[in-house]
Amino acid sequence: MSAHPLLLKYLAELASHPLRTKAITTGTLCFLQEVLGSTIARVPVQTPAKNAPSVVHLLAALNIDLKALKMAIYGFLVSAPMGHFLTGALQKAFAGKTGTSAKIAQILANSLLVSPIQSAVFLASMAVINGAKTVDEVIKTVKAGFFSVLRVSWVVSPLTLVVAQSFVPLDLWVPFFNSIQFILGTFFNVQVKKLRIAAAKKAEGEKKEKEDDSSKD
């Protein structure tokens, strides 16, 4: 069965302009990931002012906010270039090596060198996107979440890399990994948003209880 014409066109663009194509793809997927996460988790939408432009109301109805735009910028300017150079270096280091020992070495190099860098940069970027204003706040966020994110990466990355090495042609690695990252990213995004909503409701309930107790006194 021949490949879909759109996939062939995408692969041609990927071959001709790899960094630009990856940046546009990752930026778009990060944007969609944030919008889908908010929609699935049913995050309350901040209602625009009545006199706001109609486009603002339309964006709010679609769960598109400033954070979604920031995620698109992160994907375009940070995630894609970083993945392009790190993965490219890994592929060059193991180019032409198809033996079992080479495949295991590639997985280890990805887990011990690439994943820690990507995890740290991801957490630092998320800290900034979520409002961190100082270097100290960014460092605290990275320290707090580094090993949690890295553990997930150490499980997911080797499995996807084994599948890619065994079943996916090299020229399809980029769309394959993008698909996996998009699915997992959306899932984790939804879970985090649900936890935040639950925590906010709990805090609001506790605050109301305190107010009721103090009014009784």
Side-chain angles (χ1 to χ4, degrees):
M1 188 171 64
S2 59
H4 193 281
L6 288 177
L7 176 59
L8 293 176
K9 187 174 181 180
Y10 176 79
L11 294 176
E13 283 295 314
L14 196 59
S16 303
H17 310 284
L19 182 55
R20 184 183 71 185
T21 306
K22 290 175 184 177
I24 293 171
T25 302
T26 306
T28 302
L29 291 179
C30 285
F31 174 81
L32 292 175
Q33 183 177 302
E34 177 63 24
V35 174
L36 274 177
S38 297
T39 303
I40 296 170
R42 297 182 180 180
V43 175
V45 180
Q46 187 174 357
T47 306
K50 289 184 179 180
N51 59 350
S54 56
V55 66
V56 175
H57 287 276
L58 177 61
L59 291 175
L62 295 172
N63 267 339
I64 298 174
D65 57 10
L66 183 59
K67 187 176 179 182
L69 299 177
K70 288 179 179 179
M71 287 297 294
I73 294 170
Y74 158 75
F76 187 87
L77 296 178
V78 180
S79 181
M82 176 177 61
H84 172 73
F85 291 112
L86 290 177
T87 304
L90 194 65
Q91 288 178 339
K92 285 180 182 178
F94 292 92
K97 300 175 182 178
T98 57
T100 302
S101 59
K103 290 181 178 180
I104 293 173
Q106 187 178 26
I107 292 171
L108 288 174
N110 183 70
S111 298
L112 299 176
L113 299 175
V114 176
S115 290
I117 295 172
Q118 290 180 321
S119 297
V121 173
F122 169 76
L123 287 167
S125 301
M126 292 307 103
V128 173
I129 288 173
N130 285 295
K133 299 186 184 302
T134 65
V135 174
D136 188 53
E137 288 177 337
V138 173
I139 292 173
K140 284 180 180 178
T141 300
V142 174
K143 285 183 176 179
F146 182 72
F147 285 106
S148 296
V149 173
L150 192 58
R151 279 196 295 269
V152 173
S153 180
W154 279 345
V155 172
V156 174
S157 293
L159 289 175
T160 53
L161 194 52
V162 167
V163 172
Q165 288 173 338
S166 304
F167 305 107
V168 182
L170 192 59
D171 59 348
L172 293 179
W173 273 31
V174 171
F176 171 73
F177 284 117
N178 278 338
S179 301
I180 298 297
Q181 290 171 357
F182 177 71
I183 293 169
L184 289 175
T186 303
F187 173 77
F188 288 128
N189 199 331
V190 170
Q191 300 308 309
V192 169
K193 290 181 185 300
K194 285 183 176 179
L195 288 172
R196 284 179 179 171
I197 292 172
K201 286 182 178 178
K202 183 180 178 181
E204 188 178 344
E206 290 175 350
K207 183 181 178 182
K208 190 175 180 181
E209 286 181 6
K210 287 181 181 178
E211 290 174 351
D212 291 340
D213 291 340
S214 45
S215 63
K216 288 178 183 178
D217 296 338

